[in-house]
């Protein structure tokens, strides 16, 4: 179905449910599933990791606290997650590279687009950490930019609901899930698919997005088999 995918995984997958921190068993489960994907599908995988289980810049609610400073802490959180996921993947003997846009050269490689492309061509799983390396952005925007830069066929955005809905399904029992949307429809209906910057990049670069429920990791495999899971925006 797809030659190369960009998988956006929120840091929430790496922490205890509904809480912050690091849950090694959950990281192991993600690693095991990624190994299964590599073994079962002929697909190149780039992963953009979030850091929400440890820290998000917007957690800093004190207005005196410098927003950029908080965002650097958030970017470092993504590097911690990436380092732990790589460790678990190596236990499982999955060839993995961590490339960070926030340079921490003793812990991981810097993100260099051409090198990332080469790793993906070689079938290596590439974990992209550190966001885009600049404050005031999110890992959703990173996912959109890297999907464009690394010529990915699709951006798979893991969510904690089943796709894009007409209203928040956790608050409104009448919320309807959309099977498919165009970028324009999502904009006109004012639907929150990703943050504005991320969405604008996908729209401009014509990167299709599937928003799906990451609560069941097997949804990724289903999408790769061609099942219509979640909401497709294109
Ligand atoms: N961040 C940033 N620049 C980027 C990407 C991320 O400053 O390019 C910071 C930002 O503070 C963000 C945090 O890193 O809140 C963790 O990323 P995110 O909130 O996107 O993680 P997720 O919600 O996916 O777990």
């Amino acid at each position: 179905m797809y030659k190369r995918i960009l998988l956006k995984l929120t840091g929430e997958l790496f922490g205890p449910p509904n809480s912050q921190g690091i849950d090694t068993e959950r990281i192991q489960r993600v690693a095991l599933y990624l190994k299964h994907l590599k073994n079962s599908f002929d697909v190149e995988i780039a992963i953009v990791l979030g850091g929400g289980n440890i820290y998000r810049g917007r957690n800093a609610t004190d207005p005196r606290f410098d927003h950029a400073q908080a965002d650097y802490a958030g970017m470092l959180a993504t590097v911690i997650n990436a380092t732990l996921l790589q460790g678990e993947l190596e236990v499982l003997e999955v060839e993995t590279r961590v490339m960070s846009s926030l340079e921490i050269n003793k812990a991981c490689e810097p993100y260099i687009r051409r090198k990332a492309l080469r790793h993906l061509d070689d079938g290596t799983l590439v974990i992209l950490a550190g966001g885009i390396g600049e404050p005031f952005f999110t890992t959703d925007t990173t996912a959109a930019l890297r999907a464009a830069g690394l010529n990915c066929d699709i951006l798979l955005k893991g969510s904690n609901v089943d796709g894009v809905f007409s209203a928040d399904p956790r608050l409104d029992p009448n919320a309807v899930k959309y099977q498919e949307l165009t970028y324009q429809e999502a904009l006109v209906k004012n639907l929150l698919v990703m943050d504005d910057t991320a969405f604008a990049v996908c729209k401009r670069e014509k990167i299709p997005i599937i928003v799906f429920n990451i609560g069941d990791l097997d949804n990724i495999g289903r999408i790769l088999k061609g099942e219509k899971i979640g909401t497709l925006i294109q």
Side-chain angles (χ1 to χ4, degrees):
M1 274 278 308
Y2 304 110
K3 181 176 184 295
R4 181 176 295 165
I5 61 169
L6 190 302
L7 184 59
K8 160 68 212 290
L9 297 179
T10 166
E12 282 172 36
L13 269 185
F14 284 15
N18 307 316
S19 175
Q20 289 214 303
I22 289 164
D23 185 331
T24 305
E25 268 179 37
R26 293 189 88 200
I27 302 177
Q28 284 166 348
R29 220 176 302 149
V30 173
L32 205 57
Y33 192 76
L34 291 171
K35 181 184 169 109
H36 158 74
L37 286 182
K38 282 303 286 174
N39 288 345
S40 313
F41 298 92
D42 186 18
V43 66
E44 296 165 9
I45 305 176
I47 298 176
V48 167
L49 274 187
N53 56 316
I54 301 170
Y55 194 80
R56 287 193 174 103
R58 57 184 179 279
N59 288 3
T61 47
D62 182 342
R64 295 167 308 166
F65 196 90
D66 183 19
H67 188 166
Q69 181 81 353
D71 279 340
Y72 278 108
M75 286 185 265
L76 288 168
T78 72
V79 178
I80 293 176
N81 283 339
T83 309
L84 291 171
L85 180 61
Q86 181 177 42
E88 295 297 351
L89 284 162
E90 279 177 347
V91 170
L92 300 172
E93 297 179 352
V94 179
E95 186 76 29
T96 313
R97 298 283 183 146
V98 173
M99 305 187 98
S100 175
S101 298
L102 183 71
E103 290 195 22
I104 311 181
N105 295 348
K106 295 210 171 166
C108 48
E109 298 175 39
Y111 172 72
I112 297 170
R113 176 178 169 265
R114 295 181 71 90
K115 279 198 178 169
L117 287 168
R118 205 164 343 121
H119 293 323
L120 289 166
D121 283 341
D122 291 346
T124 302
L125 198 144
V126 176
I127 301 174
L128 300 162
I132 62 162
E134 291 293 332
F136 313 114
F137 290 95
T138 64
T139 52
D140 275 5
T141 301
T142 312
L145 287 168
R146 298 298 177 248
L150 297 174
N151 312 324
C152 295
D153 301 312
I154 191 130
L155 193 165
L156 302 182
K157 149 103 176 140
S159 164
N160 43 23
V161 291
D162 287 341
V164 179
F165 286 78
S166 56
D168 187 338
R170 290 165 301 187
L171 304 175
D172 183 348
N174 298 319
V176 179
K177 192 191 111 191
Y178 295 102
Q179 202 79 28
E180 277 193 32
L181 286 165
T182 63
Y183 301 110
Q184 200 54 32
E185 281 166 343
L187 279 175
V188 170
K189 293 182 202 286
N190 206 14
L191 300 170
L192 198 65
V193 176
M194 305 174 93
D195 65 63
D196 291 349
T197 319
F199 189 76
V201 172
C202 289
K203 181 173 182 286
R204 192 182 61 223
E205 299 303 318
K206 300 189 176 59
I207 300 160
I209 312 163
I210 295 180
V211 179
F212 68 100
N213 197 331
I214 192 73
D216 182 359
L217 286 172
D218 213 27
N219 280 337
I220 306 170
R222 294 193 187 107
I223 290 169
L224 295 183
K225 279 186 206 146
E227 280 183 43
K228 288 197 186 318
I229 301 276
T231 303
L232 169 68
I233 303 108
Q234 63 181 352

